[in-house]
Amino acid sequence: MDKNWAYLLCRLAIGLSFFGHGLVRLPKLTGFSNWMVDQFSKSFLPDALVVPFSYILPIAEFIAGVLIIWGLFTRQGLLLAGLISLTLIFGTTVIENWDALPSQLIHVAFVAVLLAHLPYNTYAVDKIIKK
């Protein structure tokens, strides 16, 4: 029983992180996009890749967060969160923003642990749907 509660606690923590990242960026998408383009201006990545990604990122973070928090399509939400984290790690290394890397690695670790322990996801909408 404690493992189920521990899973829920970890799932909510990582879900809230993704949800919060997306939530605060959604109302200011253009400003966020401009900031991201500026961050990558000296990298080899072209604006043609950075701009669309900067608009998709907050939406993807928000969706992943909602799915993970609710425990709805938990596996897919976690996989989306993992993909987001991996792309952020790539971008972080490209612009040599080493200070941001530990946080992103922690996100990947949370996602990996949650995926590996998915059977403990008992307090979730997924369990209600499977009944």
Side-chain angles (χ1 to χ4, degrees):
M1 185 68 103
D2 286 343
K3 289 180 181 180
N4 298 340
W5 285 107
Y7 189 94
L8 175 64
L9 181 63
C10 288
R11 194 188 82 218
L12 291 174
I14 198 67
L16 285 168
S17 180
F18 279 93
F19 176 79
H21 275 86
L23 182 67
V24 299
R25 293 172 176 161
L26 285 173
K28 53 183 179 181
L29 274 174
T30 301
F32 175 72
S33 177
N34 292 338
W35 172 82
M36 187 170 267
V37 169
D38 183 58
Q39 293 294 304
F40 284 87
S41 64
K42 294 178 184 162
S43 77
F44 66 86
L45 293 175
D47 288 354
L49 286 177
V50 177
V51 171
F53 180 78
S54 69
Y55 280 96
I56 293 168
L57 176 61
I59 298 165
E61 288 172 325
F62 183 81
I63 291 169
V66 168
L67 293 176
I68 294 167
I69 289 167
W70 282 91
L72 175 64
F73 306 115
T74 307
R75 178 185 308 275
Q76 293 84 350
L78 289 168
L79 289 170
L80 176 59
L83 179 62
I84 291 166
S85 297
L86 293 174
T87 57
L88 290 173
I89 287 170
F90 174 73
T92 295
T93 59
V94 165
I95 61 173
E96 300 181 74
N97 182 4
W98 309 120
D99 292 337
L101 195 55
S103 172
Q104 294 163 346
L105 291 170
I106 289 168
H107 279 77
V108 170
F110 261 88
V111 168
V113 168
L114 288 169
L115 281 168
H117 294 88
L118 208 51
Y120 295 111
N121 189 33
T122 57
Y123 305 118
V125 173
D126 287 341
K127 290 296 178 184
I128 296 168
I129 293 172
K130 285 186 178 180
K131 286 185 178 181

